């Protein structure tokens, strides 16, 4: 199965979604409970804008292996894309309960909270990422933007100067 899964992933990464989908479905024919194939089929559906199908596949992956943080995080992305911010937040938080170092889920939670206007909790999510990964440009930039929105100009300036020192060509930060 691993070689077939690798084949599907190679196709998937190359943007050949229908071919990857065919490989993942063949894996499920041989092993109906293969959580990774279910998850990847969910990602293909999500990438194709088929949110209901994406939710079904990722929910099945979670049922098959509930301790995979990435499944919960990606299910949160599907919920967010469908306009269900409350469910998205629950999925992101569940991913972080499973793996506190899963920065994708923490970043997605930060974006969700930022969009909802919960600036302090969004800032905390980004700060948590930066405490472990100070080079994370996106978290640093978003934290700087939040501090700017809050009128905390000295903090915003400090974040942006740190980013510019590490990424002098960043026009976004300028």
């Amino acid at each position: 199965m691993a070689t077939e899964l690798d084949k599907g992933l190679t196709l998937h990464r190359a943007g050949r979604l229908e071919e990857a989908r065919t490989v993942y479905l063949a894996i499920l024919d041989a092993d109906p409970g293969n959580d990774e194939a279910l998850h990847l089929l969910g990602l293909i559906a999500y990438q194709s804008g088929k949110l209901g199908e994406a939710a079904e596949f990722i929910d099945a992956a979670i049922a098959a292996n509930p301790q995979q943080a990435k499944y919960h995080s990606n299910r949160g992305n599907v919920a967010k894309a469908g306009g269900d911010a409350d469910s998205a937040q629950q999925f992101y938080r569940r991913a972080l309960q499973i793996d506190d170092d899963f920065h994708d889920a923490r970043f997605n939670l930060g974006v969700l909270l930022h969009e909802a206007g919960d600036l302090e909790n969004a800032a905390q999510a980004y700060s948590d990422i930066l405490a472990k990964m100070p080079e994370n440009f996106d978290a640093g930039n978003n934290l700087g933007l939040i501090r700017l929105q809050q009128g905390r100009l000295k903090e915003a300036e400090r974040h942006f100067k740190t980013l510019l020192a590490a990424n002098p060509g960043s026009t976004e930060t300028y």
Side-chain angles (χ1 to χ4, degrees):
M1 275 314 147
T3 58
E4 283 302 300
L5 196 56
D6 291 339
K7 177 182 173 185
L9 280 168
T10 299
L11 292 166
H12 197 155
R13 289 181 182 128
R16 296 165 59 185
L17 300 184
E18 271 312 305
E19 292 171 76
R21 187 176 195 282
T22 300
V23 172
Y24 300 148
L25 287 171
I27 291 169
L28 288 179
D29 282 343
D31 179 10
N34 187 299
D35 56 300
E36 191 61 20
L38 289 164
H39 173 246
L40 292 167
L41 281 166
L43 289 183
I44 287 176
Y46 171 68
Q47 290 170 296
S48 303
K50 300 173 184 173
L51 299 181
E53 183 180 321
E56 288 177 23
F57 277 121
I58 297 174
D59 286 345
I62 290 170
N65 187 352
Q67 293 304 308
Q68 273 288 348
K70 68 181 177 180
Y71 298 173
H72 294 274
S73 183
N74 284 324
R75 184 60 177 84
N77 292 340
V78 172
K80 183 180 182 229
D84 188 353
D86 290 338
S87 290
Q89 187 173 155
Q90 290 173 4
F91 282 112
Y92 296 145
R93 289 190 187 283
R94 178 64 185 129
L96 291 168
Q97 286 173 344
I98 294 167
D99 181 358
D100 190 52
D101 289 331
F102 190 56
H103 299 302
D104 286 349
R106 191 170 310 282
F107 185 82
N108 291 337
L109 178 62
V111 169
L112 184 75
L113 294 168
H114 192 174
E115 290 172 353
D118 187 351
L119 299 183
E120 203 49 49
N121 283 319
Q124 186 60 56
Y126 298 134
S127 293
D128 290 347
I129 293 169
L130 292 169
K132 295 178 182 175
M133 297 175 61
E135 73 284 355
N136 188 302
F137 176 85
D138 292 326
N141 193 59
N142 286 3
L143 182 56
L145 291 172
I146 287 172
R147 295 308 186 215
L148 194 60
Q149 280 181 273
Q150 292 174 318
R152 295 163 67 173
L153 303 181
K154 290 288 183 193
E155 286 180 64
E157 180 182 29
R158 182 171 39 88
H159 286 292
F160 292 136
K161 282 184 175 180
T162 299
L163 289 173
L164 287 171
N167 305 285
S170 171
T171 56
E172 183 178 353
T173 305
Y174 278 109

